[in-house]
Amino acid sequence: MIRIQKPIYLDYHSTTPVDERVLQAMLPFFTEHFGNPSSRSHPYGWQASEAIEIARKQVAVLLGVPAAEITFTSGSTEGLNMAIKGLSEALAHKGKHIISITTEHPSVLDPLDYLSHRGCKVSYLKVSDKGMIDVQQLANTIQSDTIMVIAMWANNETGVIHDIASIGQICKEKGIAFITDATQAIGKILIDPIRCGVDILVLSGHKIYGPKGTGAIWIHQNEKKLKPVPLLQGGGHEAGMRAGTLNTPGIVGFGKACQLINENLSVDMEHVHHLRNEFEKKVTSQVEEVKINGDIQHRLPTVSNLRIDFTDSQAVMTKLRTKLAISSGSACSSATPAPSHVLLAMGLTATQAKASYRISFGRMTTEEEMQEAAHLFIEAIHQYRSENPVWQMVKQGIDISDLRD
């Protein structure tokens, strides 16, 4: 195991620590109540099955949906693959046209690329420089053979919140399935998928202080009667929707995490909103050439995506890697040096995208940690610029227009 000095953690959009209350709820199901919930012939199985159903209700209450419509998964990636691939197969007789957005997570973009090589036609809606789509463009893109629209509730890099209710209304009027990736929105804002016209929603446990490797998909049993073809075969688990032995401890923890959100969301988000705003104030007051990426009025209270021109995010983060945990884009693509596809889709140049930083805050972040993180971040920016000849030219008033993208 690699042992490092514990840095301040401000990367809560990538994953969250497991809440101690979640852990305590899980522990008995590793050692005491270890039965298989599908084993219905003895008390061990009954106990596990009961725990699964309690967790199912906890997830359902958070979403405001019937518990019977919740299917447990390993996380949002599995849920999105189940929804997208499963619906494309189930609705193939109706058409092969799918609509999504250029700034979606790879767990949407990659399955769509897979389907595009197997006969489906995919239309990608462009976003504005603030990361928002034009809902009228969506309406104009719908064709007679369109079978589904996929739009994330909130972006994982910028925190930009899409107008889900308007998208849902268009899909309802056209009788088209509407899938939303609510992974980042859950636990940060109040959501009401039924009111917003959503048909299928996915979420993950590790974004809400639950365990990694857990999640759920909600499929609304409305007049559209959507039933994706199962992604996995091999048993009648989860009402035939998902084969495989259920991860009872993980599901119990996931359910507990949902319960805690229900109890504490408004207080937690007020705290986080304050931290985010104070962090941005400190950075923008002490660092030149700072811009916020995304729509300032329509974003999650937890995330700040800052573009700081004349810096390189990878180089700056190298100076911080044992002190401060932040990122420059999606955790799923952090191993690649390519600029963020989200920021490029918003019109940033490659250089501007590589000068951008994603800083996020969680309910466990303290005021002291935020203050120290801001100090470290500002210090690293100043240090990098002091070593950057281009920045020195800018400060001397030298025209560097030929050096820009």
Side-chain angles (χ1 to χ4, degrees):
M1 178 182 290
I2 299 174
R3 297 188 181 277
I4 59 173
Q5 176 185 345
K6 186 177 180 181
I8 297 174
Y9 192 76
L10 289 186
D11 195 18
Y12 284 87
H13 256 46
S14 296
T15 189
T16 57
V18 172
D19 189 292
E20 179 63 29
R21 293 164 292 183
V22 169
L23 178 61
Q24 292 304 316
M26 294 171 62
L27 288 177
F29 292 89
F30 286 107
T31 56
E32 300 173 38
H33 311 309
F34 51 82
N36 184 335
S38 297
S39 298
R40 306 298 173 83
S41 59
H42 50 71
Y44 294 103
W46 302 339
Q47 288 176 331
S49 178
E50 181 182 22
I52 293 291
E53 295 313 311
I54 291 173
R56 200 184 309 276
K57 290 178 183 177
Q58 290 169 322
V59 177
V61 168
L62 176 62
L63 298 179
V65 304
E69 297 177 355
I70 298 292
T71 297
F72 289 113
T73 66
S74 64
S76 292
T77 296
E78 181 188 333
L80 287 165
N81 273 266
M82 180 190 299
I84 296 167
K85 294 178 181 177
L87 269 191
S88 71
E89 185 173 345
L91 300 177
H93 63 288
K94 291 187 176 181
K96 291 184 174 294
H97 182 233
I98 302 171
I99 301 174
S100 192
I101 305 174
T102 54
T103 53
E104 290 293 308
H105 190 274
S107 54
V108 167
L109 298 178
D110 289 353
L112 290 178
D113 181 65
Y114 171 88
L115 291 176
S116 71
H117 289 88
R118 286 157 179 79
C120 288
K121 178 183 176 183
V122 184
S123 296
Y124 295 97
L125 302 175
K126 294 181 179 180
V127 297
S128 69
D129 59 357
K130 295 184 181 296
M132 305 286 285
I133 67 163
D134 179 350
V135 292
Q136 187 57 52
Q137 180 193 7
L138 166 61
N140 295 340
T141 306
I142 294 174
Q143 303 173 5
S144 59
D145 63 340
T146 303
I147 55 174
M148 70 179 99
V149 171
I150 308 153
M152 64 195 336
W153 204 299
N155 189 268
N156 58 301
E157 293 189 26
T158 63
V160 168
I161 302 170
H162 286 299
D163 187 352
I164 295 299
S166 294
I167 297 172
Q169 182 61 36
I170 291 171
C171 291
K172 183 177 181 179
E173 291 172 357
K174 299 292 185 178
I176 299 168
F178 178 26
I179 301 169
T180 188
D181 173 5
T183 308
Q184 297 294 348
I186 296 289
K188 283 86 172 179
I189 55 174
L190 286 170
I191 69 168
D192 188 341
I194 293 179
R195 183 185 64 80
C196 290
V198 174
D199 297 303
I200 298 179
L201 177 149
V202 302
L203 65 158
S204 285
H206 70 281
K207 305 290 187 179
I208 56 173
Y209 302 90
K212 298 176 181 66
T214 60
I217 180 171
W218 167 67
I219 304 174
H220 193 16
Q221 300 305 304
N222 55 14
E223 66 278 0
K224 295 178 185 176
K225 299 181 180 179
L226 299 174
K227 189 173 182 180
V229 174
L231 192 64
L232 303 174
Q233 285 79 39
H237 310 85
E238 290 296 88
M241 286 301 300
R242 199 250 189 190
T245 302
L246 292 173
N247 173 11
T248 304
I251 290 171
V252 168
F254 178 40
K256 182 65 176 181
C258 290
Q259 178 191 341
L260 293 174
I261 290 172
N262 256 332
E263 295 172 352
N264 305 298
L265 180 61
S266 60
V267 173
D268 288 342
M269 288 309 103
E270 182 178 352
H271 166 70
V272 173
H273 191 269
H274 164 75
L275 294 179
R276 195 274 309 277
N277 287 353
E278 287 301 308
F279 182 90
E280 289 184 346
K281 287 179 183 177
K282 290 182 72 68
V283 174
T284 54
S285 67
Q286 298 182 45
V287 177
E288 298 175 74
E289 300 284 348
V290 180
K291 298 176 179 63
I292 297 174
N293 293 322
D295 193 313
I296 297 176
Q297 302 302 318
H298 300 95
R299 59 175 175 156
L300 299 175
T302 53
V303 64
S304 178
N305 195 302
L306 300 178
R307 177 183 128 206
I308 304 180
D309 288 337
F310 308 105
T311 69
D312 179 276
S313 58
Q314 295 300 319
V316 170
M317 288 191 298
T318 296
K319 299 178 183 297
L320 293 168
R321 59 185 177 183
T322 62
K323 303 174 183 177
L324 180 62
I326 61 175
S327 63
S328 58
S330 168
C332 300
S333 58
S334 61
T336 63
S340 159
H341 77 280
V342 172
L343 300 181
L344 294 180
M346 291 165 57
L348 274 67
T349 66
T351 297
Q352 290 170 335
K354 288 184 176 182
S356 296
Y357 307 79
R358 186 185 72 174
I359 303 102
S360 51
F361 303 85
R363 68 185 184 217
M364 295 182 182
T365 310
T366 66
E367 180 82 22
E368 292 73 20
E369 286 175 328
M370 181 275 291
Q371 296 285 351
E372 178 64 14
H375 170 73
L376 292 170
F377 184 60
I378 293 167
E379 185 178 59
I381 295 294
H382 288 326
Q383 182 182 353
Y384 173 85
R385 281 180 167 173
S386 70
E387 302 164 353
N388 184 352
V390 176
W391 177 247
Q392 300 307 314
M393 293 168 67
V394 171
K395 295 298 290 180
Q396 294 170 30
I398 299 172
D399 183 5
I400 63 162
S401 55
D402 290 342
L403 299 178
R404 291 178 178 264
D405 285 348

